[in-house]
């Protein structure tokens, strides 16, 4: 069974979670980059609006061949109770038919449930099956605390099964 973790991270917290998962799963990992400038106060507001509206963006890599993977992890921070534009674009551009998907979000304020629901709806529409999903709270947590929380969830959710 081949697995890959696809994720977007603006502030680095989702990256910590994705890298911790990849280390524990001993699997491939790919960071999705948004080519639109997203940092700064004005850009942050615009980015939240883009996420809420499910606006597409230019990403790198622009396409991914997931043929060799059975299980795909997709991770994103929560922006305006939504997945980021980069992850929305990624999901809409991938052939996910027959794939098992594990969704994860990071969120400082919300519980991430709305984000997970939106992602689940999108991946199901692309022919995938969501087998697990989770949210990690990130407010005021160090990278070490996030690693510890991710490793705990890895065991509790028995993610090695997927």
């Amino acid at each position: 069974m081949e697995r890959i973790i696809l994720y977007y991270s603006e502030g680095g917290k989702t990256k910590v979670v994705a890298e911790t998962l990849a280390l524990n799963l001993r699997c491939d990992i790919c960071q999705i980059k948004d080519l639109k400038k997203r940092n700064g106060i004005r850009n942050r507001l615009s980015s939240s609006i883009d996420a809420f509206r499910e606006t597409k963006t230019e990403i790198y890599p622009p396409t991914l061949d997931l043929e060799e993977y059975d299980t795909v992890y997709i991770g994103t921070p929560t922006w305006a109770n939504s997945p980021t534009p980069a992850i929305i674009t990624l999901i809409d551009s991938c052939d996910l038919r027959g794939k098992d998907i594990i969704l994860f979000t990071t969120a400082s304020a919300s519980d991430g449930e709305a984000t997970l629901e939106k992602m689940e709806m999108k991946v199901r529409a692309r022919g995938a099956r969501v087998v697990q999903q989770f949210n990690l709270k990130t407010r005021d947590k160090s990278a070490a605390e996030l690693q510890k929380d991710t490793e705990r969830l890895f065991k509790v959710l028995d993610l090695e099964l997927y």
Side-chain angles (χ1 to χ4, degrees), residues 8 10 38 44 47-48 51-52 77-85 115:
Y8 171 80
E10 179 69 31
R38 298 276 180 197
R44 187 72 71 202
S47 296
S48 292
F52 182 75
T78 296
W79 290 359
N81 288 317
S82 302
T84 59
T115 303

Side-chain angles (χ1 to χ4, degrees), residues 49-82:
I49 292 167
D50 285 350
F52 182 75
R53 291 182 178 165
E54 296 189 9
T55 303
K56 304 288 188 303
T57 190
E58 191 175 352
I59 61 172
Y60 183 84
T63 59
L64 286 169
D65 181 5
L66 301 175
E67 181 71 29
E68 69 182 89
Y69 300 102
D70 305 305
T71 305
V72 180
Y73 285 67
I74 303 174
T76 183
T78 296
W79 290 359
N81 288 317
S82 302

Side-chain angles (χ1 to χ4, degrees), residues 113-137:
E113 289 303 313
T115 303
L116 289 168
E117 286 173 16
K118 289 175 185 180
M119 291 170 68
E120 181 174 3
M121 190 170 61
K122 288 187 119 1
V123 299
R124 285 188 190 279
R126 308 274 319 154
R129 178 174 73 120
V130 176
V131 296
Q132 188 60 268
Q133 54 189 342
F134 61 91
N135 176 65
L136 271 172
K137 297 277 189 177

